[in-house]
Amino acid sequence: MHLSPGFVDATEAQRIEGAARGLLRGIAQLGQTLFREGEFGLTRSQVALLDALESGPCRVTGLAARTGMAQPRVTVLLQKLGDAGLVERRRCEDDRRAVETSLTPAGRALLEAGRQRMAAALLTALHRGEGAVEDPERAVSTARDALNLLLNAMESEAS
């Protein structure tokens, strides 16, 4: 359902705005903490490119669209990742002018190891102290489901 700004209850809008600010801050802090725990040895932008390549080879234009980065930045970062042996670039078979980038086994292994460290850190944190969670898997699944609900609502609003 789409409500124009004139039909939104002002009190409800203020409450949602406050909650959304807290949500955005929390997501950002959690993302920073988990990234730090992943110990990737790369920048967040570099890891975002590796993550975007996980589903398969992609051209620079596709990676720029998936990550929200400018194409020149993607090109520079891919060069660094290539020099590190984490990605490889090849001419497209269907269009020899274009180049596709894909993860190397080393790039895939780096992503997996970092994600395992992130998960281990999250699990440790959920088991520790006064805020210990009885069922960490359920807590994480509930948070994921809540985020998906919000994402789906925003995507349906955009279409």
Side-chain angles (χ1 to χ4, degrees):
M1 176 171 101
H2 177 71
L3 296 175
S4 66
F7 293 107
V8 174
D9 177 82
T11 304
E12 182 180 25
Q14 282 181 323
R15 288 195 313 263
I16 290 296
E17 182 183 345
R21 261 194 245 130
L23 175 66
L24 292 173
R25 250 184 260 122
I27 289 170
Q29 288 173 338
L30 180 61
Q32 289 170 356
T33 301
L34 287 174
F35 179 78
R36 189 173 47 252
E37 293 293 336
E39 299 175 11
F40 292 96
L42 301 171
T43 66
R44 288 181 79 156
S45 295
Q46 289 171 320
V47 173
L49 286 172
L50 294 179
D51 186 60
L53 286 167
E54 191 172 32
S55 60
C58 194
R59 296 179 185 184
V60 169
T61 53
L63 288 170
R66 286 183 192 176
T67 61
M69 292 182 223
Q71 287 183 26
R73 177 160 172 73
V74 170
T75 300
V76 169
L77 292 174
L78 287 177
Q79 182 63 50
K80 291 178 182 180
L81 291 170
D83 291 347
L86 301 174
V87 301
E88 60 185 2
R89 301 171 84 185
R90 292 192 180 142
R91 294 262 169 224
C92 296
E93 291 188 22
D94 59 332
D95 180 356
R96 301 300 295 165
R97 298 169 296 167
V99 175
E100 282 186 327
T101 304
S102 59
L103 282 178
T104 63
R108 198 170 297 284
L110 182 124
L111 264 182
E112 183 59 30
R115 288 173 178 161
Q116 287 175 358
R117 286 188 293 271
M118 291 165 69
L122 184 56
L123 183 61
T124 298
L126 290 171
H127 277 303
R128 168 176 62 213
E130 289 182 27
V133 174
E134 187 174 315
D135 186 349
E137 182 182 3
R138 184 168 162 237
V140 172
S141 292
T142 300
R144 180 202 59 220
D145 293 346
L147 282 173
N148 283 334
L149 176 75
L150 296 173
L151 284 170
N152 291 335
M154 293 302 296
E155 286 172 1
S156 66
E157 181 69 17
S159 39

